[in-house]
Amino acid sequence: MTGPLILLVSGSLREGSINSAAIRTVAAQLAADVDVTVYDEMGVLPHFTPDVEATALPEVVARLRRSIEGSDAVLICTPEYAGALPGSFKNLLDWTVGGMEIVGKPTAWINVSANATGAAGAHSSLETVLAYTGADIIDDACRHIPLAASDLSADGLVSTPDAVDELRSVALTLLERARQKQD
């Protein structure tokens, strides 16, 4: 493939995660058209420690930063726990603050919560942290697409046609911004 490259990140470590299913679905929908990388090392990132960052980055953190740097856009799908981002995903974001890789990078997120609050706490937290890191938040690509376990097929992908179309639309909106930045 030739550009742009989209980095897809699930903020969930849970087996059978609907958030991860949404990310895999986006990857499957785009794979024929653009370069896609699904980040899958969140569970092995060490706890963020500024002292470690100041001395020598662990290789797994360096790979995370290279993945962000090498991408043209970043798309996130994360659950909400206790009204905010899951700790493991916040840890991932903390490792990105000291680097400049996401500065100006078109970035968006998908919220798949079927909860009545629509995971507003996670949305607010993402907006705060990503704005702080200098990400180029593409509001038109930040969407709420409620999904339930019943919306997944046996292969772990989203099976509801309207939801699949919406997921693809989010990614294409984000990629359009990435293409504009390349021109």
Side-chain angles (χ1 to χ4, degrees):
M1 288 291 119
T2 57
L5 184 141
I6 185 168
L7 178 65
L8 304 172
V9 181
S10 172
S12 179
L13 294 174
R14 189 175 65 79
E15 188 72 26
S17 162
I18 295 171
N19 295 275
S20 296
I23 288 297
R24 286 190 306 274
T25 302
V26 170
Q29 287 290 307
L30 296 181
D33 302 318
V34 298
D35 290 322
V36 177
T37 298
V38 177
Y39 180 76
D40 63 359
E41 293 189 303
M42 185 174 71
V44 297
L45 287 171
H47 296 292
F48 174 74
T49 307
D51 293 339
V52 171
E53 182 180 45
T55 55
L57 284 180
E59 181 53 32
V60 68
V61 175
R63 281 194 303 272
L64 166 65
R65 288 187 175 182
R66 283 193 303 267
S67 292
I68 294 169
E69 184 175 34
S71 68
D72 296 300
V74 177
L75 182 60
I76 297 164
C77 189
T78 187
E80 176 180 272
Y81 291 134
L85 296 172
S88 54
F89 183 64
K90 178 61 167 72
N91 184 58
L92 179 148
L93 292 174
D94 287 345
W95 279 114
T96 70
V97 172
M100 300 297 288
E101 299 82 8
I102 202 163
V103 172
K105 183 99 37 189
T107 305
W109 57 85
I110 302 164
N111 173 337
V112 298
S113 174
N115 186 310
T117 66
H123 176 95
S124 177
S125 296
L126 272 171
E127 189 168 39
T128 298
V129 174
L130 291 172
Y132 184 84
T133 64
D136 179 13
I137 299 170
I138 309 305
D139 291 323
D140 289 347
C142 296
R143 300 205 195 140
H144 181 222
I145 306 168
L147 296 172
S150 60
D151 294 318
L152 305 183
S153 59
D155 61 0
L157 299 175
V158 176
S159 60
T160 310
D162 288 345
V164 171
D165 289 346
E166 185 77 8
L167 290 168
R168 183 172 174 79
S169 171
V170 164
L172 292 176
T173 299
L174 181 61
L175 287 167
E176 179 58 31
R177 179 57 175 248
R179 285 184 181 106
Q180 290 171 356
K181 285 195 150 211
Q182 287 178 335
D183 293 341

